[in-house]
Amino acid sequence: MAISRYFAFAEETTFGTAATAAETIDPESVEIDPSGDQALIYEGVSRLDRVVAPAPYMSEGSFTTPFDIEAFPWFLKWALGGYEVTGTSPSFTHRFFPEQSALMKSFTARAGKDVFEHVFTGCVVENISLELDDGFLLASVDLLGGKDSKSSLQATPTFTQGEIYAPHQVTATINGVDESANIESFSITIETGADNEAGLTIGNRFPRRAYRGAFMVEIELGLSFFSTTQLEKFWGTATGPTTTTLQEFEMTIHVGDNIDILIPRAVYTSMEQPLGGRDRIEQTATLRGLVKADGTGPIEFSITNDKASYNVA
């Protein structure tokens, strides 16, 4: 049976110039289309719409897919900006970390849509959300793009088959202490502040570049509630809110044997234990990732696999 739905992507060497697909995945959903009005309409005193011209043209959308060890790291590179690799075949360790460059790295996205391949160039990552509850660790990516075009469907898509992860394969430590038995679920949101509208210039209908904006990392934890231990960490004291300094800590999430998500400095920003009728009390905490004095943070990823590099030759 022919496969006509897929999502493929590759890093661009020049912003907005289509790159041949490097990875193809089978996502849970893909929603990418042109955005906004494509027509500039002159509104004169006649009160009639008579004059029209092509407007600036951009795309946007999102996709959701299981976090896998082989293909998804590309999006970490494009979102965070910083990347380095060490090791020799067959084991390489990739480090992805925030880099405050002025411009975003771009990629070409290709969505198989039954009857044609929808190609989007000049794509950048606006935000990434990782979520683990009672299913696989899922990643949702919001992206901004430029020009779109039509291409032929891949004849025989070959999906990247990187390992994906169930809840029992994930653990977490806070200040070096294993807190896995207290964490029921979590989500991590990484915002890049990407702005491709600012990349519109005269002489072209499509963005020529995308700027990096304010970078933010927020973590939400679903915590078991059978004592006030976690609430006291939020307060900073055993009896109520601190009046001095907030309690800071480091957190590491281990995904399988070869992925570490590092939040080297974090602080609680909110905590709730709402009463929901006769149901058990569910405790939710929100954390914000911060930058350490040595410049690391607010988040890093360390991934070891057999891929030699996430750089484009």
Side-chain angles (χ1 to χ4, degrees):
M1 180 181 293
I3 296 174
S4 59
R5 295 186 180 186
Y6 54 83
F7 185 63
F9 48 87
E11 184 171 310
E12 296 174 349
T13 54
T14 302
F15 188 96
T17 300
T20 303
E23 310 278 3
T24 302
I25 61 174
D26 186 7
E28 186 177 275
S29 64
V30 180
E31 300 179 13
I32 309 174
D33 289 291
S35 61
D37 294 331
Q38 71 152 337
L40 279 177
I41 299 174
Y42 174 70
E43 298 177 354
V45 297
S46 68
R47 299 185 293 184
L48 299 172
D49 294 336
R50 299 184 304 103
V51 181
V52 65
Y57 193 102
M58 291 173 288
S59 306
E60 65 180 348
S62 64
F63 70 92
T64 299
T65 187
F67 185 111
D68 82 278
I69 196 171
E70 294 285 342
F72 193 79
W74 282 107
F75 295 96
L76 300 177
K77 176 191 175 184
W78 297 329
L80 275 63
Y83 170 67
E84 61 185 27
V85 58
T86 57
T88 56
S89 182
S91 180
F92 301 90
T93 297
H94 310 272
R95 176 176 171 249
F96 305 91
F97 54 92
E99 180 181 75
Q100 286 301 297
S101 55
L103 301 179
M104 299 284 295
K105 292 180 171 64
S106 67
F107 61 96
T108 297
R110 301 171 181 269
K113 295 186 174 180
D114 284 355
V115 296
F116 80 110
E117 182 180 87
H118 206 165
V119 183
F120 300 86
T121 56
C123 294
V124 295
V125 175
E126 185 177 29
N127 65 63
I128 291 177
S129 295
L130 306 179
E131 183 171 356
L132 182 70
D133 196 345
D134 56 0
F136 288 113
L137 175 60
L138 292 179
S140 296
V141 179
D142 290 344
L143 58 86
L144 304 174
K147 183 179 180 180
D148 65 328
S149 61
K150 174 184 173 182
S151 187
S152 300
L153 290 167
Q154 291 187 25
T156 54
T158 301
F159 294 121
T160 299
Q161 299 291 339
E163 183 179 3
I164 59 178
Y165 303 93
H168 70 275
Q169 296 173 283
V170 181
T171 60
T173 62
I174 295 179
N175 285 340
V177 177
D178 191 341
E179 295 284 358
S180 304
N182 298 315
I183 299 174
E184 300 175 2
S185 62
F186 69 81
S187 65
I188 301 173
T189 300
I190 303 169
E191 296 184 1
T192 69
D195 180 4
N196 66 346
E197 188 172 355
L200 292 167
T201 71
I202 61 174
N204 199 321
R205 192 182 179 192
F206 313 103
R208 296 182 189 266
R209 61 192 63 88
Y211 293 90
R212 182 176 293 280
F215 189 86
M216 189 274 287
V217 176
E218 188 170 82
I219 304 98
E220 185 173 288
L221 301 178
L223 297 169
S224 299
F225 185 68
F226 51 84
S227 74
T228 61
T229 301
Q230 301 302 322
L231 180 59
E232 291 170 22
K233 291 180 180 179
F234 167 72
W235 279 338
T237 75
T239 57
T242 179
T243 58
T244 54
T245 58
L246 296 175
Q247 188 175 110
E248 297 181 5
F249 51 89
E250 76 72 33
M251 182 175 186
T252 302
I253 298 174
H254 306 280
V255 182
D257 297 324
N258 294 304
I259 299 175
D260 289 333
I261 305 173
L262 313 169
I263 299 97
R265 182 184 174 216
V267 64
Y268 284 117
T269 57
S270 69
M271 186 170 288
E272 303 172 345
Q273 306 89 21
L275 292 173
R278 298 185 178 186
D279 295 334
R280 72 180 179 91
I281 296 175
E282 297 183 13
Q283 184 169 232
T284 302
T286 304
L287 296 66
R288 187 75 168 262
L290 305 172
V291 176
K292 291 183 67 175
D294 63 5
T296 59
I299 195 168
E300 292 188 6
F301 291 78
S302 176
I303 298 176
T304 300
N305 59 24
D306 60 0
K307 196 174 187 69
S309 177
Y310 287 91
N311 285 322
V312 176

